[in-house]
Amino acid sequence: MLDNNGNVTGLIAREETGRKHIISAKAVILTTGGYGNNKQLLSKELGKVLFYGTKSSNGEGLVMATKEGVDAATRLMEYGKIYPNGIEVSKGYAKSTIGGNIAVLRENGLLVNKFGVRVVNERASNHDILDVLMEQEDQTLYMLLDQEHFDIFKEAVAEGGISEQDIERWLDNNGETTPQFFHADTLEKLAELAHMPQESLSQTVSRYNSFVKNGKDEDFNRELRFLQKEVGSGPYYLVEQKPRFATTMGGLVVNDSLEVVNKKGTVINGLYAAGEVVGGVMGTDSPSGANNAWALTSGKLAAESIKSKFKK
C-alpha cells in the first residue's frame, strides 16, 4: 500500500479462498526469495538452464515492487548461479548428481560429449567444467562409468534425493526419455544407443586407460591421485550431465540501509528488502553456500535499519 506521497504504508494479502487482509505498517521488508521458478522473469539464456530450487521461487516480491507507482529498480536480472552435474527429472527441472560424481571421480569416471570424446579434466573445478558444458551445442555431457563405479555412484546420489527406484526406472527407459541413463554390455553398443560414433567410447576408454597405466593424463592433466583405476568391465553406463541453477543473482536495488530504490535512484520510504530478492549482492556469481549467510545477515540488518529509523 502507498500513501499520496509514495511512501509504503503496509500491504494487502489475499488467501487462496479470496479472503483479503489489509495490514498497515510503518515499514515492509520483502523477503520473498528469488525468481528461478518464474520463466517470465528469466532471461532467454537462463531459461534454458534446468531449475532445481524451490517451487516457491516465483519472484512475487519483484513483481510487487516493480509495479507502476512503486517502480523499484532492478539489476543483473539475467544471471543465476549455475552448476554442472544436473539431470532433467521432469521438463525444465533438475536434480543434482554431485554426490555421485565426487565419489566415482576419485578413481575413474569420464566426462564425454555427444561424440563420445573426453573434453575436460573431470576433476577440474565446477566453474571450469561448467564453461566446457555450456560450450556444448546441446548443453549436455555424459558421465561414463563401468559397473563397479556405477554401483558407487548409485549409492552416493541418494543424499541428493535420487532413489535407487528412480535410477532403475530411468535405466529401463535406456535413454529414450530424460533423464538419459544409457546402459549396455559393451562400449560399442552403448555408443550406438547414445547415437555416438560407433568406436568413439572404446577409443576414448582405451586412451584413458593408457594414461592410468603410464601415470599421466596427456590430454587434460587429471591429477595422478585421481587417475587410480582403469575403466573396467561392463555393463557400462552413460549418465546425462546438464547445467542447473537454484539461486538467481539479480533482483531489487537497495542502499546501504537495505531500503529499496526506485528507477530514479530515490529511496522508496518504508520499503526494505533482504535475502535473494536483493539483486547484485555478489555480482554475477557466488561461492557455494554464501547466499545463506547473506539471507541471515541482510534480514538482521534490515530490521536494525527500521528500528533505528523509527525510534527517532
Side-chain angles (χ1 to χ4, degrees), residues 58-85:
N58 292 313
E60 296 95 336
L62 283 162
V63 173
M64 288 188 287
T66 54
K67 280 188 177 295
E68 185 177 356
V70 186
D71 298 320
T74 62
R75 59 185 170 194
L76 300 182
M77 291 288 291
E78 66 270 36
Y79 294 103
K81 170 61 180 180
I82 305 174
Y83 291 92
N85 44 64

Side-chain angles (χ1 to χ4, degrees), residues 5-277:
N5 296 316
N7 302 311
V8 172
T9 58
L11 57 87
I12 298 172
R14 288 183 174 85
E15 299 181 25
E16 291 183 356
T17 60
R19 186 180 180 187
K20 184 168 74 172
H21 302 270
I22 299 175
I23 304 169
S24 298
K26 293 181 179 179
V28 172
I29 306 176
L30 291 174
T31 56
T32 50
Y35 50 94
N37 199 34
N38 187 337
K39 292 287 188 182
Q40 293 182 336
L41 295 178
L42 298 179
S43 66
K44 182 179 179 180
E45 291 306 311
L46 191 55
K48 296 177 183 177
V49 178
L50 301 177
F51 182 63
Y52 77 104
T54 60
K55 291 186 177 180
S56 60
S57 294
N58 292 313
E60 296 95 336
L62 283 162
V63 173
M64 288 188 287
T66 54
K67 280 188 177 295
E68 185 177 356
V70 186
D71 298 320
T74 62
R75 59 185 170 194
L76 300 182
M77 291 288 291
E78 66 270 36
Y79 294 103
K81 170 61 180 180
I82 305 174
Y83 291 92
N85 44 64
I87 58 171
E88 189 171 10
V89 294
S90 60
K91 187 172 178 56
Y93 292 91
K95 285 188 177 181
S96 170
T97 66
I98 185 63
N101 292 25
I102 291 172
V104 297
L105 293 175
R106 295 189 182 106
E107 295 181 341
N108 68 18
L110 309 181
L111 281 172
V112 300
N113 63 11
K114 66 179 182 179
F115 303 107
V117 177
R118 284 181 76 209
V119 288
V120 70
N121 177 349
E122 295 85 357
R123 287 294 311 195
S125 68
N126 274 337
H127 189 276
D128 288 343
I129 292 173
L130 179 65
D131 283 346
V132 174
L133 175 59
M134 297 299 280
E135 288 172 359
Q136 306 306 307
E137 184 180 349
D138 54 358
Q139 290 189 345
T140 304
L141 293 174
Y142 299 90
M143 180 72 76
L144 171 63
L145 298 168
D146 58 26
Q147 184 64 60
E148 176 188 356
H149 290 85
F150 185 75
D151 289 340
I152 295 171
F153 174 89
K154 186 166 59 173
E155 183 176 341
V157 294
E159 66 183 35
I162 299 172
S163 70
E164 187 169 342
Q165 290 75 25
D166 289 333
I167 292 175
E168 291 304 320
R169 186 173 72 254
W170 300 331
L171 287 173
D172 286 343
N173 293 331
N174 212 0
E176 293 183 1
T177 60
T178 59
Q180 290 184 315
F181 277 61
F182 296 99
H183 64 98
D185 290 335
T186 67
L187 291 168
E188 290 78 10
K189 181 61 177 178
L190 190 63
E192 180 184 341
L193 285 169
H195 304 289
M196 294 175 177
Q198 186 70 29
E199 300 296 325
S200 61
L201 289 181
S202 57
Q203 290 172 358
T204 294
V205 168
S206 178
R207 182 168 176 79
Y208 175 82
N209 285 350
S210 73
F211 297 157
V212 177
K213 290 176 184 176
N214 297 329
K216 181 175 175 59
D217 179 358
E218 295 179 7
D219 290 338
F220 298 105
N221 295 312
R222 183 164 167 169
E223 291 181 67
L224 181 60
R225 60 184 172 136
F226 302 127
L227 205 66
Q228 292 299 305
K229 282 191 175 183
E230 296 180 25
V231 176
S233 58
Y236 299 98
Y237 301 84
L238 285 172
V239 178
E240 72 174 27
Q241 300 283 278
K242 295 183 176 182
R244 60 187 172 93
F245 82 103
T247 305
T248 41
M249 306 306 298
L252 300 174
V253 178
V254 300
N255 64 13
D256 291 347
S257 299
L258 295 175
E259 295 174 289
V260 179
V261 175
N262 66 21
K263 293 175 182 177
K264 296 179 179 179
T266 304
V267 165
I268 302 171
N269 289 319
L271 186 61
Y272 295 74
E276 193 180 350
V277 74

